């Protein structure tokens, strides 16, 4: 965004804030009259034309008004928005207690998030295979390559290759197989108790080093996925229709295929902070007129699911990010109680 002068950035911010609040194209006279800019009308028109040429604004109709593009919204979130980070909003703590089943908690949280934002709330459930470990297999494929396979009680399978800088002692591989089946059988993947077993004080330095090298297999979800909770569809589609989005029909069809939505949300699982994709940054063509705000919830060592809000690109990003982040943090506290 180095191509924007401070004045251009201020004008762009004013345009976006007005458009988000009203949904109307922004004319140069608004900037002159309400934007607190001590500029001549001709200067404002030139600056708006420059922002359009740079790809931050669009001129959709013959009127003088302009609207933000995906690039404009991205600038707003990444730059102007930095000055006033979203405050996490707590929606569910008062409604949740540790005794609540995870399914009920996710259902409640989705409904609360949809009502708070007025948009489409999406929360992916933990994998159906997040259950107790039944068996661990540790095999040496080559002198310096070891494969670790974890099978859960529900049949889920996770496997991972570990490549070492030097040949691994076969005796160490055999020891690890026996130790893990004795120490972690019956424990949940990613649980605190399981992770403590990998750093037991009684282990030798070599044994602890080996455990550290293979530990990621115990923090990853097994094959298979959980369900998806969705709320707020009617209001969301009404807003898209009002905004004139041409992808409403395709988006409705896509939401009927939950596996695609879950796959999209999984893209956020590796993010440590809020995951935000605007317009064409979302891979799915049906969502080109939308923005996705998402954040993960889960355990200290492993993300279990994602909290997301899907809305038109013209949304109150500060409010949505605060609600999504707050909901994800509250769900993390809840699942810590349940899983540990």
């Amino acid at each position: 965004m180095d191509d924007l002068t401070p004045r251009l950035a201020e004008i762009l911010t004013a345009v976006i804030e007005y458009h988000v609040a009203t949904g109307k194209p922004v004319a140069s006279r608004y900037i002159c009259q309400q934007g607190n800019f001590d500029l001549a009308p001709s200067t404002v028109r030139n600056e708006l034309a420059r922002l359009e040429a740079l790809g931050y604004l669009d001129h959709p109709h013959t009127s003088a008004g302009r609207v933000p593009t995906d690039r404009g919204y991205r600038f707003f979130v990444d730059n102007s928005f930095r000055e006033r980070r979203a405050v996490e909003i707590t929606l569910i703590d008062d409604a949740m207690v540790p005794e609540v089943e995870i399914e009920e908690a996710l259902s409640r949280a989705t409904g609360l998030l949809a009502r708070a934002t007025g948009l489409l709330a999406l929360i992916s459930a933990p994998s159906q295979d997040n259950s107790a470990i039944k068996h661990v297999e540790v095999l040496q494929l080559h002198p310096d390559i070891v494969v670790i396979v974890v099978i859960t009680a529900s049949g889920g399978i996770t496997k991972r290759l570990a490549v070492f800088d030097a040949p691994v002692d076969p005796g160490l591989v055999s020891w690890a197989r026996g130790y893990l089946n004795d120490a972690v059988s019956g424990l949940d993947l990613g649980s605190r108790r399981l992770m403590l077993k990998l750093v037991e004080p009684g282990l030798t330095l070599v044994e602890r080093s080996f455990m550290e090298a293979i530990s990621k297999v115990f923090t990853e979800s097994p094959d298979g996925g959980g369900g998806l909770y969705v709320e707020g569809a009617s209001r969301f589609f009404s807003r898209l229709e009002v905004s004139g989005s041409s992808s409403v029909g395709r988006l409705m069809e896509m939401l009927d295929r939950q596996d695609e939505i879950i796959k999209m949300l999984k893209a956020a699982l590796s993010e440590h902070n809020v995951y935000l994709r605007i317009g064409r940054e979302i891979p799915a063509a049906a969502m080109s007129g939308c923005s996705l705000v998402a954040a993960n919830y889960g355990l200290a060592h492993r993300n279990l699911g994602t909290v997301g809000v899907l809305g038109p690109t013209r949304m109150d990003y500060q409010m949505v990010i605060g609600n999504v982040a707050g909901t994800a943090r509250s769900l993390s506290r809840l699942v810590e109680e349940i899983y540990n």
Side-chain angles (χ1 to χ4, degrees), residues 8-338:
L8 280 173
E10 289 179 14
I11 292 175
L12 176 59
T13 298
V15 169
I16 293 175
E17 288 179 340
Y18 180 81
H19 182 68
V20 167
T22 66
K24 299 177 182 178
V26 184
S28 58
R29 65 176 177 273
Y30 167 80
I31 300 298
C32 293
Q33 296 171 0
Q34 306 295 331
N36 296 319
F37 294 100
D38 186 18
L39 300 172
S42 59
T43 302
V44 171
R45 287 193 293 272
N46 289 336
E47 295 293 66
L48 289 174
R50 195 170 162 202
L51 285 168
E52 184 176 346
L54 291 170
Y56 294 100
L57 297 177
D58 194 12
H59 203 163
H61 307 294
T62 55
S63 68
R66 282 157 171 102
V67 297
T69 62
D70 293 349
R71 192 181 191 204
Y73 282 119
R74 172 54 68 184
F75 167 84
F76 178 70
V77 173
D78 290 349
N79 293 272
S80 301
F81 193 56
R82 255 184 223 157
E83 301 299 323
R84 43 212 167 94
R85 285 294 182 191
V87 176
E88 289 186 13
I89 299 170
T90 300
L91 292 177
I92 65 173
D93 276 354
D94 292 340
M96 302 297 170
V97 291
E99 290 75 16
V100 172
E101 293 291 335
I102 185 65
E103 293 82 4
E104 182 183 352
L106 295 176
S107 178
R108 281 195 212 173
T110 310
L112 289 168
L113 186 58
R115 289 192 291 275
T117 61
L119 300 172
L120 187 71
L122 308 162
I123 299 183
S124 63
S127 168
Q128 298 291 341
D129 293 322
N130 283 330
S131 56
I133 295 173
K134 181 179 181 181
H135 181 72
V136 181
E137 191 60 65
V138 186
L139 302 170
Q140 193 164 17
L141 298 184
H142 297 285
D144 59 344
I145 300 177
V146 174
V147 62
I148 307 93
V149 181
V150 177
I151 303 172
T152 67
S154 57
I157 299 174
T158 303
K159 56 186 176 181
R160 187 178 182 89
L161 285 176
V163 180
F164 296 84
D165 295 332
V168 179
D169 181 356
L172 182 61
V173 175
S174 179
W175 165 84
R177 184 186 309 118
Y179 172 77
L180 289 169
N181 280 294
D182 287 341
V184 306
S185 291
L187 301 182
D188 285 339
L189 281 173
S191 68
R192 185 176 293 113
R193 291 176 59 202
L194 183 152
M195 302 311 294
L196 289 174
K197 289 292 183 181
L198 302 182
V199 292
E200 280 278 3
L203 299 180
T204 67
L205 183 61
V206 172
E207 292 167 347
R208 287 167 68 97
S209 178
F210 186 81
M211 288 293 113
E212 181 180 355
I214 68 171
S215 63
K216 284 189 177 180
V217 73
F218 297 104
T219 62
E220 295 174 346
S221 296
D223 297 337
L228 180 69
Y229 294 81
V230 182
E231 291 285 351
S234 59
R235 282 172 293 180
F236 169 61
F237 287 119
S238 295
R239 286 191 60 173
L240 286 182
E241 288 173 345
V242 169
S243 66
S245 175
S246 60
S247 60
V248 174
R250 287 181 297 159
L251 191 53
M252 291 179 72
E253 291 177 6
M254 184 175 180
L255 289 177
D256 285 335
R257 301 190 294 273
Q258 288 199 1
D259 57 327
E260 293 189 26
I261 301 297
I262 292 173
K263 182 178 179 181
M264 180 181 70
L265 292 177
K266 278 186 175 179
L269 283 176
S270 60
E271 295 278 336
H272 297 295
N273 300 312
V274 171
Y275 175 94
L276 173 62
R277 295 295 180 270
I278 298 172
R280 289 179 175 80
E281 295 174 359
I282 303 177
M287 296 186 180
S288 60
C290 303
S291 288
L292 173 66
V293 177
N296 297 311
Y297 71 89
L299 306 172
H301 299 287
R302 180 162 56 101
N303 291 323
L304 296 177
T306 304
V307 176
V309 163
L310 190 67
T313 52
R314 184 181 71 84
M315 69 162 71
D316 184 341
Y317 287 95
Q318 188 173 22
M319 179 272 291
V320 173
I321 290 173
N323 276 287
V324 167
T327 300
R329 189 174 294 276
S330 296
L331 283 175
S332 291
R333 286 194 288 266
L334 180 70
V335 297
E336 283 281 356
E337 295 283 347
I338 293 173

